Amino acid sequence: MSAKKKQHVYSRSLDHAFLAVYNAYVFFIRFFRETFRGRMEFQEMVKQCYAIGNKSLLLISLTGFITGMVFTKQSRPSLAEFGATSWLPSLVAIAIVRALAALVTALISAGKIGSSIGAELGSMRVTEQIDAMEVSAVNPFKFLVVTRVLASTITIPILMFYCTLVSLMGAFLNVTLNEGTSFIAFFESAFEQITFLDIGTSVAKSVAYGFTIGIVGCYQGYNASKGTEGVGKAANSAVVISMFLIFIEEVIIVQVSNYFRV
């Protein structure tokens, strides 16, 4: 390939990248504009909250329980070397509340909910159902996008608290089988080192993760094209981009929370 052709290809790629960023920005701003304008589709939002929770509950239950049990099992040998197995409940609780619960919930939801939203809206776009809604004087953006983004933003923090509880129960089972610790003693020790800052940080994380999963899934699905191939691409992109942004948000929020923790 000649140097001129290479330059042309790079130029086109750069143009596409800037155009994608601009379209995402417009979509983002439109979401906030539509959210605070007109009547909220409350019934649809409640329906989406139920769908998101129902789809993720079983998977989060299994993953959370196994995460708590495995993390406890892996941490015991290190503490046992120093004769500090009594610190195990506190260590596990700190890890789960500060990081694992929110991250596990977000990653599972990104795979389960993000792909579902991307595929659903992508299917509606390529079959022209969204165009039909516009013709029938229904605001498809508010009905389809705003409700799903708000639903994921509300539901993910609730699922995060549930994942925290299930993970701690998995940790308790492992501890009580090995050390014979009682239920009350375990949870008293577990929450001894947990502060309101830890809980607030986890809530902030899960709200940010829920919004990211919802807005990315809706953006990919709402702007899908090229028939069934576009639907698959929208679902895949929703998962990949959501997970990538979740890890970036994790780093940023942890840095900010550590600033206040010092």
Side-chain angles (χ1 to χ4, degrees):
M1 185 182 292
S2 64
K4 190 173 182 180
K5 282 188 176 182
K6 285 184 179 180
Q7 185 178 3
H8 179 68
V9 170
Y10 293 151
S11 178
R12 287 188 61 185
S13 300
L14 194 61
D15 290 343
H16 285 307
F18 279 116
L19 183 61
V21 171
Y22 173 76
N23 289 335
Y25 168 77
V26 171
F27 190 88
F28 183 80
I29 295 300
R30 185 181 178 186
F31 163 77
F32 285 102
R33 188 170 63 245
E34 295 287 352
T35 300
F36 298 104
R37 185 173 66 181
R39 186 176 64 89
M40 174 59 66
E41 299 288 348
F42 185 75
Q43 187 174 356
E44 177 67 15
M45 186 178 71
V46 172
K47 177 184 174 183
Q48 293 302 322
C49 286
Y50 173 78
I52 291 172
N54 188 45
K55 288 177 182 177
S56 306
L57 196 61
L58 179 59
L59 195 55
I60 287 176
S61 299
L62 293 173
T63 308
F65 188 82
I66 293 171
T67 298
M69 182 175 287
V70 170
F71 185 81
T72 306
K73 189 177 182 63
Q74 294 293 332
S75 302
R76 180 177 286 103
S78 299
L79 293 179
E81 290 182 5
F82 301 96
T85 52
S86 60
W87 293 356
L88 197 55
S90 296
L91 173 66
V92 173
I94 290 172
I96 290 173
V97 173
R98 288 186 183 179
L100 291 178
L103 198 58
V104 166
T105 303
L107 294 178
I108 291 174
S109 299
K112 191 75 175 175
I113 306 305
S115 61
S116 176
I117 292 175
E120 183 181 10
L121 295 190
S123 174
M124 295 180 71
R125 170 62 73 186
V126 300
T127 56
E128 299 182 351
Q129 295 181 51
I130 294 178
D131 297 332
M133 292 177 68
E134 292 175 345
V135 171
S136 59
V138 176
N139 185 346
F141 194 94
K142 194 174 188 69
F143 187 82
L144 299 175
V145 175
V146 173
T147 55
R148 282 165 173 77
V149 176
L150 291 180
S152 63
T153 305
I154 294 169
T155 309
I156 300 301
I158 298 173
L159 291 173
M160 180 273 296
F161 281 113
Y162 174 74
C163 183
T164 301
L165 176 61
V166 173
S167 299
L168 289 175
M169 291 304 297
F172 164 72
L173 180 62
N174 187 280
V175 170
T176 193
L177 289 176
N178 287 275
E179 279 84 26
T181 306
S182 67
F183 183 84
I184 295 176
F186 174 85
F187 278 94
E188 282 182 348
S189 178
F191 286 101
E192 187 177 0
Q193 301 298 324
I194 301 299
T195 64
F196 285 108
L197 179 61
D198 297 327
I199 298 172
T201 302
S202 294
V203 172
K205 284 182 183 179
S206 55
V207 169
Y209 298 159
F211 178 80
T212 299
I213 293 167
I215 199 74
V216 171
C218 288
Y219 174 77
Q220 295 296 329
Y222 201 81
N223 295 285
S225 59
K226 298 181 181 178
T228 54
E229 180 185 351
V231 176
K233 185 178 179 182
N236 181 66
S237 299
V239 175
V240 173
I241 296 174
S242 294
M243 289 185 174
F244 176 73
L245 293 176
I246 283 169
F247 283 115
I248 293 177
E249 290 168 354
E250 172 75 13
V251 172
I252 295 172
I253 295 175
V254 166
Q255 292 298 323
V256 173
S257 66
N258 286 341
Y259 173 80
F260 289 103
R261 200 181 306 277
V262 175

